[in-house]
Amino acid sequence: MGHLAKKNALLKNAKALKHGRLLDKAPKWKTFESFEETPLYIAIFTYLSYAILIVFGHMRDLMRRWGFEKMPINTEPSKKGWVPLYQNFESFYTRNLYTRIRDAWNRPICSLPGARMDLMHRVTDDHCVSFRFTGKKINAVNMGSYNYLGFAQNEGPCADAAEAATRKFGCSVASSRQEIGNMKIHHDLEKLVAEFLGVESACTFGMGYATNTMNIPCLVGKGSLIVSDELNHASLVLGARLSGSTIKIFKHNDMVDLERKIRDAVINGQPRTHRPWKKILILVEGVYSMEGSICKLHDVIRIKNKYKCYLYLDEAHSVGAMGPNGRGVLDYWGCSPKDVDIMMGTFTKSFGASGGYIAGKKSIVDYLKGRSHSMCYASSMTAPVAQQIITSMSIIMGRDGTNDGQRRVCQLAWNSRYFRRRLMEMGFIVYGNMDSPVVPLLLFCPGKIAAFSRQCLKHGLATVVVGFPATPIIESRARFCLSASHTKETIDQALDIIDKVGDLIHLKYSRRDQRPDISENDKDFKQRYKLLPEY
Amino acid sequence: MIQAFIHAPRYHVLVEIALVIWILRLLFFTKSYRSERTVLTEKEKEDLIEDWQPEPLAPPLSESDAALLNVNERIVDRHIWEFCSKIGKHVTVNGHECLNLASMNFLAMNEDPLIEEDAVASLRKYGVGSCGPRGFYGTVDVHLFLEEALQKFMGCEEAIIYSYGFSTVASAIPAYSKRGDILYADESVHFAIQKGIQASRSRVRYFKHNDMDDLERLLQEQEREDQRNPKKAKVTRKFILVEGLSMKHGDLCPLPKLVELKNKYRVRVFMDESLSFGTIGKTGKGVTEFYNIDVTEIDLITGSLEYALGSVGGFCVGKSYVVDHQRLSGLGYCFSASNPPMLSQAAITALQILQDKPEKLERLQENSKWMHRQLAQIDGLKVSGEAISPIIYVQLSDATGQTGVDRALLQRIVSECEIQGIALTCPAFLDDEELFVPPPSIRVAVNCDLTKEEIDEAIRIIQNVVRDVLSTRDAFAQ
């Protein structure tokens, strides 16, 4: 009977899929995610400005070839008989587009990356080819660092514990985990991470990026299929490529597309040979760092269970930053950790340290401990870093006897909603989920990338701007990362600046009629986050 | 023809029309001309989905993996009784107090009080993590100072730092070498280089370890091919990838000959100096200094801050136009958070100490030679590699040739030494993923703070252990 019922359910699902409708188990609370369409005239102007830039780029290249203009210093001298190190095509973009506005990136700081930070003042005499430091400092509101829970601190329990660990163990281990770099502090850390995430076991690595690139190849290989979100981080993409599996890309957060791709793959098997796949691994991120969107985890889990795939969830931007207990998107959606096979995340962001983890069933973690490239060849995590994670994680879990961790989580949740709502009300086009601490604001025109960044910094706000190739060519954007260390005053200050700059360079493109449907005074929001700040 | 058609008898026309219809039917309506497309019914699809059973995500542990996990259970801690309390010259391994001949902390930078003070001061200013990649406010002034210090020390135009030693060379190679390019690599390059090669998707030709004749043969082969297809040769970049001091053998790369070949065949050279940086050469600048070769002859030098400098991360040095490219194309640089400032500060101080106290390096090189000589005299062991190398590979002189057996025996020697107060380690390799797995061996790492007496004492203990272990084996064999 049960079998028949299951089959019927499957058939029903298939039908629903055919009609482009999904039977997803919606979360209990209202959620809101927006990707407002680009107005047509903006798209035209954006393409036009790229065209102008490219024409001018070619003209300047011509001038350089004829000797009217000096070659930028970092060009390769041509040597006879040697193949040039770079293709002309790839350096064209760098030389003629990126270099002109290079001052918007790689800005050095000379303080803690906290709620406010000091930037080193630099000037350029040659249109951003080189920079000169003046020795002055610029103090600015920090909306660029991934300091979600505000653990980038140089005082307090974390820094004290990290100092003690430095004095006790030193800065280096100088060996890999499988040789002689296996310390008790690593075991303590791994136990704590497993407890924090509610899984059987965890292992930790010295670098978050390498956690993806070095472990995905251990899990899948030739004859396996990786189904990956089109906007996954570079480390996931490289890890998938290194594994040698077949890779299929599905549209960003599009569950119908994901299910269709997986369904076809299971039915048709491997290309050409039609043998069944060895395994299918779904790669998704918790919070997408350029879109501010949140993975629709309940749907992914439903699809994964239905088609017997495995799920690799990268929580780099969500662990600590999402959910009422700070345990990531699982906590946010109320899903069970048992439904995710591999939980991956980094310690760089919410915990103010560095490194990454992989958590899951004991059998999988043990396998990785024996087979991971990182465990075998790379130096193990140093003691002060491990200690910083242990202390900050204990605070989030409330093990220090205070509610400081809860307070941070709630402050971040409040900040995210408040900031996003205010931006939308001002008339900016803002992408992403209402609860994500990553808030992208659309700039579109390439000229506005640098203008926005420079103007904000002039008024005392440090923020990240990104353009092609990190985003689609017309969707250049500014990105704000909220932090629990921001107070309402700090955020209001930042909002004032953004408002002013937005008016100055005309960024309020939104054509939404009604007010956005988000509020930090929702009843169920207040119910889930107990310690929301009162303003 | 029309006339003929009209005049033809009726029955003739009828027969012909029938024939034409028959041909058309044969052409378009018979089964053999229908394209064979099977359309699965929904039910069949559901059955297929139901039937499919994937392999487990992690296969059950094999015996060798389980053994590795056991090794993994070795817990090191600081030495409790000694004056210096960090993991350094002395450690406790599984509760046994040991002289450390396993960590690659060659210059004892991990125990240096000056580094500790500077690192803590940096921690008190910047906190632990940098909370961002280099492009997005993760560049702290300390990173710039470290890059400047490295660039000045190595005498190059520019330096770039990475936050993880392994990712340095693995990111640097694919930044330059793309699909269609050719890489010539030593067959026993270490795993990070192999991963870099794989990520670059270039064509790769391996030459025998340190065998320059073999490399020249490959280069000549390519030259002949280039002459056949000059158009393609014009856009094919070629790189030689070598290690300064081999991680798998402990010997030096024959650089003078290599530079000669490089200039003759116009191939660029990338050299990984993870181990040789800070340990080889008069002032620790690595293999180029050892052979007295101009650093600019090497197009890109990659190194690690994790061994000699006692910090975390890696770096690349070279000409500005080469290194600067990685700031946009080095994946591990762009997409990873930057190094914690306190660890970069530790590297800066260590680099200063390396220059201020040249006696550290002298002692290391003396100790390496002495250790090499003494180890070679132990019965039953075979020592390979350069005398000046701070890592020494020790093999069984009458190895059985069966990897498992030899490894177990060496592992027993390591465990026995551990009980008697000497920490050693067998190097870990992922056998089925490695291109070349060196014969089973123990890796001895030399520390500059070791005294001659300590080395002699260690040798005495190792000698006794080896004798005991080998005699029990022989007893078993009989």
Side-chain angles (χ1 to χ4, degrees):
Chain A
M1 263 314 274
H3 183 71
L4 235 162
K6 203 169 142 200
K7 264 220 165 130
N8 277 341
L10 282 172
L11 281 171
K12 220 163 141 193
N13 260 353
K15 237 183 220 161
L17 185 71
K18 224 173 170 182
H19 298 129
R21 191 155 49 78
L22 274 170
L23 302 168
D24 64 338
K25 212 174 80 199
K28 288 179 215 97
W29 60 90
K30 258 191 334 208
T31 181
F32 170 81
E33 203 160 291
S34 83
F35 291 95
E36 204 180 322
E37 217 173 300
T38 311
L40 182 70
Y41 74 101
I42 301 294
I44 293 171
F45 276 119
T46 309
Y47 280 122
L48 202 65
S49 29
Y50 273 105
I52 294 170
L53 278 168
I54 288 167
V55 169
F56 270 85
H58 280 297
M59 274 161 66
R60 289 187 66 187
D61 273 359
L62 212 65
M63 306 278 265
R64 288 184 185 120
R65 209 170 307 144
W66 290 343
F68 290 118
E69 197 186 329
K70 234 174 57 197
M71 265 326 224
I73 42 169
N74 282 349
T75 21
E76 185 186 13
S78 58
K79 278 191 284 183
K80 207 174 169 286
W82 289 71
V83 181
L85 190 54
Y86 310 116
Q87 277 158 6
N88 202 28
F89 156 75
E90 53 181 312
S91 48
F92 177 84
Y93 186 82
T94 319
R95 191 171 53 235
N96 294 310
L97 279 78
Y98 167 74
T99 309
R100 299 174 57 148
I101 54 168
R102 209 156 74 123
D103 60 317
W105 295 278
N106 298 308
R107 286 187 183 139
I109 64 171
C110 51
S111 74
L112 186 79
R116 299 187 69 89
M117 64 183 171
D118 291 330
L119 288 99
M120 294 166 82
H121 185 246
R122 51 180 189 176
V123 288
T124 172
D125 304 321
D126 46 9
H127 304 285
C128 298
V129 174
S130 66
F131 294 99
R132 179 161 59 77
F133 293 103
T134 57
K136 277 189 281 186
K137 287 178 190 171
I138 311 168
N139 190 268
V141 176
N142 179 5
M143 287 216 164
S145 299
Y146 307 130
N147 179 22
Y148 295 127
L149 289 181
F151 279 110
Q153 288 174 311
N154 51 17
E155 49 186 21
C158 290
D160 292 345
E163 178 179 337
T166 316
R167 295 205 186 278
K168 206 168 158 188
F169 298 105
C171 289
S172 149
V173 186
S175 189
S176 78
R177 288 288 292 276
Q178 284 187 0
E179 285 166 4
I180 196 160
N182 196 26
M183 288 151 74
K184 190 169 165 292
I185 201 166
H186 297 133
H187 285 249
D188 294 347
L189 174 63
E190 286 168 357
K191 231 177 92 194
L192 188 70
V193 172
E195 263 176 64
F196 178 72
L197 298 168
V199 293
E200 286 174 12
S201 188
C203 51
T204 56
F205 307 90
M207 183 196 200
Y209 170 87
T211 309
N212 279 335
T213 58
M214 292 153 103
N215 287 310
I216 296 174
C218 302
L219 296 165
V220 285
K222 234 172 168 232
S224 300
L225 175 71
I226 288 179
V227 189
S228 167
D229 192 290
E230 62 177 343
L231 294 179
N232 272 343
H233 188 250
S235 57
L236 287 167
V237 175
L238 179 64
R241 220 170 68 192
L242 287 178
S243 73
S245 335
T246 311
I247 302 167
K248 274 193 183 176
I249 311 289
F250 67 94
K251 285 203 201 98
H252 174 57
N253 239 347
D254 184 341
M255 292 303 126
V256 179
D257 193 38
L258 171 67
E259 182 156 9
R260 194 186 308 121
K261 293 247 156 86
I262 290 182
R263 201 179 153 81
D264 284 352
V266 175
I267 291 169
N268 294 328
Q270 297 187 34
R272 293 159 59 84
T273 59
H274 295 289
R275 292 275 177 84
W277 297 99
K278 284 184 179 157
K279 28 192 162 176
I280 298 180
L281 184 69
I282 306 174
L283 291 187
V284 288
E285 283 188 60
V287 168
Y288 291 84
S289 66
M290 286 296 165
E291 308 300 300
S293 49
I294 300 176
C295 161
K296 293 175 186 154
L297 201 60
H298 43 277
D299 266 342
V300 180
I301 289 176
R302 183 185 56 74
I303 293 169
K304 161 207 130 79
N305 284 336
K306 183 173 162 193
Y307 296 99
K308 289 168 276 191
C309 311
Y310 299 108
L311 176 57
Y312 187 109
L313 174 66
D314 178 342
E315 295 220 68
H317 284 268
S318 54
V319 66
M322 294 298 301
N325 304 303
R327 317 253 155 119
V329 277
L330 284 158
D331 189 20
Y332 179 77
W333 292 124
C335 300
S336 157
K338 285 200 182 74
D339 284 325
V340 181
D341 300 278
I342 305 274
M343 311 235 291
M344 180 272 164
T346 64
F347 300 124
T348 319
K349 285 135 192 160
S350 302
F351 304 98
S354 74
Y357 65 79
I358 279 190
K361 283 205 195 80
K362 191 166 181 305
S363 60
I364 294 174
V365 173
D366 275 355
Y367 175 75
L368 282 179
K369 277 184 180 171
R371 300 301 312 256
S372 168
H373 307 165
S374 184
M375 285 282 174
C376 189
Y377 296 103
S379 292
S380 48
M381 190 187 275
T382 63
V385 172
Q387 187 59 53
Q388 162 86 14
I389 305 163
I390 291 179
T391 314
S392 55
M393 201 175 267
S394 309
I395 291 176
I396 302 172
M397 293 165 89
R399 296 213 169 154
D400 60 335
T402 67
N403 58 12
D404 183 35
Q406 254 308 301
R407 196 194 49 72
R408 284 173 196 254
V409 169
C410 293
Q411 176 83 46
L412 177 66
W414 189 88
N415 287 355
S416 310
R417 277 210 181 181
Y418 174 70
F419 184 74
R420 184 181 291 273
R421 176 177 66 82
R422 289 283 311 273
L423 278 187
M424 285 181 146
E425 281 171 4
M426 285 176 191
F428 292 106
I429 295 188
V430 177
Y431 276 4
N433 190 292
M434 64 175 181
D435 282 322
S436 121
V438 180
V439 185
L441 183 155
L442 272 287
L443 304 172
F444 302 109
C445 286
K448 290 185 181 177
I449 299 175
F452 186 79
S453 179
R454 287 172 190 161
Q455 286 297 326
C456 281
L457 189 63
K458 203 173 119 192
H459 291 98
L461 170 67
T463 185
V464 167
V465 285
V466 271
F468 182 78
T471 64
I473 192 141
I474 62 162
E475 289 179 15
S476 305
R477 62 194 69 176
R479 184 184 64 184
F480 307 98
C481 290
L482 276 305
S483 160
S485 62
H486 293 142
T487 57
K488 184 165 180 285
E489 289 77 64
T490 329
I491 294 178
D492 283 338
Q493 205 183 340
L495 284 165
D496 281 346
I497 297 169
I498 298 165
D499 191 27
K500 232 186 294 174
V501 176
D503 282 332
L504 183 74
I505 59 176
H506 295 285
L507 284 176
K508 298 180 175 174
Y509 297 127
S510 178
R511 295 183 299 184
R512 198 182 300 107
D513 306 330
Q514 74 270 45
R515 286 265 166 113
D517 195 16
I518 57 174
S519 154
E520 60 281 2
N521 293 320
D522 264 0
K523 218 172 92 200
D524 59 37
F525 183 60
K526 282 189 166 164
Q527 231 165 37
R528 282 190 302 140
Y529 294 86
K530 293 281 173 345
L531 285 174
L532 286 174
E534 301 282 340
Y535 290 110
Chain B
M1 205 182 89
I2 295 166
Q3 201 119 40
F5 190 75
I6 292 167
H7 291 286
R10 255 318 117 76
Y11 73 92
H12 200 111
V13 174
L14 277 176
V15 168
E16 273 188 1
I17 287 174
L19 268 174
V20 167
I21 289 172
W22 190 54
I23 288 169
L24 283 176
R25 223 196 97 159
L26 264 182
L27 269 175
F28 297 107
F29 297 96
T30 46
K31 248 192 179 158
S32 58
Y33 282 94
R34 238 180 263 173
S35 65
E36 230 178 307
R37 277 197 68 216
T38 43
V39 180
L40 294 175
T41 63
E42 279 306 311
K43 168 121 193 354
E44 281 169 328
K45 283 184 185 172
E46 292 307 328
D47 285 346
L48 273 172
I49 292 167
E50 190 88 335
D51 281 348
W52 182 60
Q53 277 308 328
E55 286 178 9
L57 191 54
L61 285 179
S62 69
E63 228 168 82
S64 65
D65 291 332
L68 273 180
L69 274 184
N70 280 337
V71 178
N72 226 343
E73 286 308 303
R74 282 175 91 185
I75 295 181
V76 293
D77 205 339
R78 64 208 182 105
H79 197 283
I80 350 169
W81 303 114
E82 278 293 316
F83 161 69
C84 53
S85 63
K86 299 197 185 98
I87 292 181
K89 194 168 121 182
H90 297 275
V91 283
T92 62
V93 183
N94 291 343
H96 303 291
E97 289 156 34
C98 292
L99 186 70
N100 189 354
L101 297 182
S103 304
M104 296 195 266
N105 176 25
F106 305 125
L107 295 173
M109 293 293 185
N110 199 34
E111 302 140 278
D112 199 288
L114 199 62
I115 295 179
E116 178 188 304
E117 282 316 314
D118 282 1
V120 167
S122 182
L123 165 71
R124 286 302 179 183
K125 187 174 176 200
Y126 302 103
V128 176
S130 60
C131 288
R134 286 291 295 269
F136 303 157
Y137 305 101
T139 306
V140 182
D141 50 2
V142 179
H143 296 135
L144 301 180
F145 299 151
L146 176 57
E147 282 175 356
E148 196 185 333
L150 282 167
Q151 166 252 320
K152 283 201 177 127
F153 177 74
M154 291 298 288
C156 291
E157 280 179 11
E158 191 160 345
I160 183 172
I161 54 169
Y162 281 78
S163 53
Y164 206 40
F166 189 98
S167 291
T168 311
V169 69
S171 296
I173 295 169
Y176 303 99
S177 183
K178 311 276 178 201
R179 201 190 281 272
D181 297 334
I182 304 177
L183 295 167
Y184 299 94
D186 191 306
E187 63 174 9
S188 53
V189 288
H190 72 86
F191 200 70
I193 301 182
Q194 293 171 36
K195 286 289 128 182
I197 293 171
Q198 201 187 338
S200 75
R201 302 196 264 192
S202 310
R203 255 194 311 149
V204 54
R205 315 286 311 267
Y206 289 102
F207 58 91
K208 289 200 193 84
H209 178 57
N210 280 349
D211 186 343
M212 290 299 113
D213 297 334
D214 198 30
L215 173 62
E216 186 157 20
R217 183 181 60 80
L218 292 178
L219 290 169
Q220 278 167 351
E221 250 173 50
Q222 184 59 39
E223 203 174 43
R224 279 196 294 276
E225 200 175 303
D226 283 351
Q227 278 160 2
R228 273 201 299 275
N229 193 353
K231 220 175 185 181
K232 195 175 162 203
K234 246 186 183 166
V235 292
T236 308
R237 286 163 287 202
K238 302 179 200 105
F239 304 91
I240 300 175
L241 306 174
V242 287
E243 276 178 287
L245 179 61
S246 167
M247 187 77 98
K248 285 182 190 165
H249 299 273
D251 50 6
L252 292 175
C253 141
L255 200 59
K257 180 78 185 150
L258 188 77
V259 169
E260 201 186 303
L261 287 180
K262 160 208 147 112
N263 287 322
K264 189 171 167 196
Y265 294 94
R266 299 194 178 99
V267 186
R268 293 185 173 85
V269 176
F270 289 179
M271 183 160 70
D272 185 48
E273 297 223 56
S274 292
L275 283 173
S276 47
F277 174 75
T279 60
I280 304 290
K282 199 155 168 279
T283 58
K285 290 193 181 97
V287 185
T288 45
E289 191 184 32
F290 181 82
Y291 285 117
N292 213 357
I293 285 172
D294 191 10
V295 192
T296 51
E297 285 287 349
I298 313 296
D299 295 272
L300 189 77
I301 293 179
T302 59
S304 172
L305 305 169
E306 286 167 4
Y307 304 127
L309 291 194
S311 174
V312 165
F315 68 90
C316 299
V317 287
K319 283 252 166 52
S320 258
Y321 74 86
V322 180
V323 173
D324 203 46
H325 180 65
Q326 286 180 48
R327 294 191 197 275
L328 284 177
S329 306
L331 291 179
Y333 177 89
C334 298
F335 292 103
S336 155
S338 58
N339 211 7
M342 61 177 293
L343 299 175
S344 293
Q345 182 58 51
I348 294 177
T349 312
L351 198 61
Q352 197 55 47
I353 292 172
L354 178 63
Q355 292 167 73
D356 291 347
K357 295 185 182 163
E359 64 273 14
K360 270 195 167 206
L361 184 58
E362 273 165 41
R363 281 206 312 267
L364 173 71
Q365 292 177 352
E366 267 167 40
N367 281 351
S368 305
K369 282 182 204 154
W370 183 251
M371 181 70 91
H372 204 272
R373 224 186 78 188
Q374 298 297 91
L375 279 172
Q377 284 169 1
I378 296 179
D379 276 344
L381 293 185
K382 194 168 72 183
V383 175
S384 62
E386 204 84 27
I388 202 176
S389 155
I391 56 164
I392 301 157
Y393 282 93
V394 182
Q395 300 163 25
L396 295 169
S397 51
D398 53 345
T400 55
Q402 291 163 283
T403 314
V405 178
D406 290 341
R407 250 188 213 167
L409 208 61
L410 289 167
Q411 198 59 55
R412 261 182 63 202
I413 295 176
V414 170
S415 313
E416 198 57 40
C417 281
E418 181 183 303
I419 293 166
Q420 302 206 16
I422 303 292
L424 294 172
T425 183
C426 292
F429 295 107
L430 296 173
D431 293 354
D432 40 1
E433 295 193 40
E434 274 281 0
L435 183 72
F436 168 82
V437 183
S441 53
I442 293 174
R443 187 173 63 215
V444 178
V446 183
N447 186 314
C448 70
D449 278 356
L450 294 172
T451 59
K452 275 227 161 76
E453 293 75 48
E454 280 168 329
I455 294 177
D456 290 342
E457 175 65 14
I459 294 292
R460 196 183 57 76
I461 293 171
I462 296 172
Q463 195 162 15
N464 288 342
V465 169
V466 169
R467 198 183 49 224
D468 289 352
V469 169
L470 290 185
S471 65
T472 50
R473 175 193 68 172
D474 295 339
F476 267 122
Q478 282 163 14

